[in-house]
Amino acid sequence: MSFNLQHLPAHIRIADGFAAWLRSALFGGPNGRAFALVGGAIVLWASWPALATIAHPAPPFMVLGLSALVGFVFSFLVAFRQNQTTTFFAVRFRTMAFVAFGLMGNNAFYLAAISRIGPAEANVVHYLWPVFLVALASLLHRRVPTWIQTIGIASGFCGVAVALSPQMGHGLDLFGLALGVCGALTFAIYSIGRSLARVETNVIGPSLGLAGIAALSAHFALEPFHWPTLSQWAAIFLMGIGPFTVANMLWDKATRQGSAATISSLAFLTPLVAIALLALFGLGAVTAATVLGALLAITGAVLSSRS
């Protein structure tokens, strides 16, 4: 997803976006459908950490491979219903390979990180990707980040430090932290590549098929065989349909029906919604430090995204 934000203070953009969502949800309005769509996309994206935790300790590549194939089949059925099967299979292999690398790489690192530093903490670390995106874009365009972006980058890393502070007293798992950082960096690279490619057609669905085959191949080569339990099967199925496919479909429709700037501001709430879902279902130890770290990470994402 791409962020196209207006030149307004970050806190005003988020507050305005949230207030508009409440008005549209409660009273309707011209942008009601767009805000309903983006709200659904955010909830589905935010469900990923909870579903990943339910699927744990199943091997990461197995989880990703099966969920990607579920997403591929679901996307194909949608394309078939819309008479777009020709377009569905017209995506170039190079594009599919890059998208598969981006989607599977960052999710594989996240799944590996949650078992070492916790799902809520891994979620905060993963949300460094907007900060990495800005840093990489600055290097790519050979420009120095603005002072606001610099504050945002610092805020993002401070958020991670705060979220992991309870673990520092009794041995922080540095390898787990490195896994989370690699996931964020992978998604930042993927986002830059997708932005430069400017491909308008649906590339997520076809790419999930390639990603599923690659991930399952890695599973059989590198991981012990594991037959999922009923709850793990359910989590894998919901992952493939929800965060991998329907969320992206809803986001695409929302950005074409409403204000891209206001809608994009709501997307920064995703990590907080993810933490709320983890706490609601009792899937992770959500502490005040985790919530504060998430808020700092969100602030860093908003500030660093300003150009």
Side-chain angles (χ1 to χ4, degrees):
M1 57 184 173
S2 59
F3 299 102
N4 179 22
L5 301 180
Q6 293 173 328
H7 298 291
L8 293 173
H11 65 282
I12 293 179
R13 290 199 302 272
I14 291 181
D16 179 68
F18 186 69
W21 179 82
L22 286 178
R23 287 196 300 270
S24 64
L26 296 175
F27 309 110
N31 290 324
R33 178 174 172 78
F35 283 108
L37 290 170
V38 75
I42 289 172
V43 172
L44 289 175
W45 275 325
S47 69
W48 162 252
L51 293 172
T53 304
I54 294 173
H56 182 75
F61 284 119
M62 187 208 72
V63 172
L64 292 174
L66 292 175
S67 59
L69 290 181
V70 169
F72 169 77
V73 172
F74 183 82
S75 299
F76 173 75
L77 292 177
V78 172
F80 180 79
R81 183 180 179 184
Q82 298 174 346
N83 295 319
Q84 297 178 350
T85 53
T86 302
T87 305
F88 186 84
F89 289 109
V91 180
R92 293 185 301 173
F93 179 81
R94 183 175 63 180
T95 300
M96 286 196 299
F98 182 77
V99 173
F101 161 78
L103 294 178
M104 292 298 100
N106 86 93
N107 289 324
F109 281 122
Y110 177 82
L111 282 173
I114 63 173
S115 63
R116 305 183 72 97
I117 60 176
E121 291 79 4
N123 180 60
V124 175
V125 175
H126 186 266
Y127 220 72
L128 281 175
W129 73 261
V131 172
F132 284 136
L133 189 149
V134 171
L136 291 174
S138 297
L139 289 175
L140 184 65
H141 296 290
R142 298 180 180 179
R143 65 167 181 253
V144 178
T146 66
W147 66 271
I148 293 181
Q149 291 175 327
T150 302
I151 293 175
I153 293 172
S155 178
F157 284 102
C158 286
V160 171
V162 171
L164 295 175
S165 60
Q167 301 182 24
M168 293 180 182
H170 51 274
L172 173 64
D173 192 325
L174 294 179
F175 184 66
L177 174 60
L179 290 171
V181 170
C182 286
L185 185 59
T186 300
F187 195 72
I189 295 172
Y190 163 75
S191 299
I192 289 179
R194 289 287 293 123
S195 176
L196 293 175
R198 300 184 182 277
V199 178
E200 299 297 333
T201 57
N202 173 26
V203 300
I204 300 295
S207 301
L208 286 175
L210 178 61
I213 294 173
L216 286 180
S217 298
H219 163 62
F220 289 119
L222 303 174
E223 297 173 336
F225 177 77
H226 175 86
W227 184 256
T229 63
L230 183 60
S231 61
Q232 289 172 337
W233 273 120
I236 289 169
F237 184 79
L238 291 175
M239 262 189 239
I241 293 180
F244 279 174
T245 54
V246 176
N248 291 290
M249 293 178 184
L250 294 178
W251 180 263
D252 180 64
K253 290 183 179 180
T255 54
R256 286 187 279 113
Q257 294 185 18
S259 168
T262 306
I263 287 172
S264 296
S265 68
L266 288 171
F268 288 116
L269 297 175
T270 303
L272 279 183
V273 178
I275 289 176
L277 291 175
L278 288 170
L280 179 64
F281 293 102
L283 297 172
V286 179
T287 64
T290 305
V291 176
L292 179 58
L295 288 172
L296 287 171
I298 292 172
T299 301
V302 174
L303 293 178
S304 62
S305 67
R306 289 174 56 86
S307 61

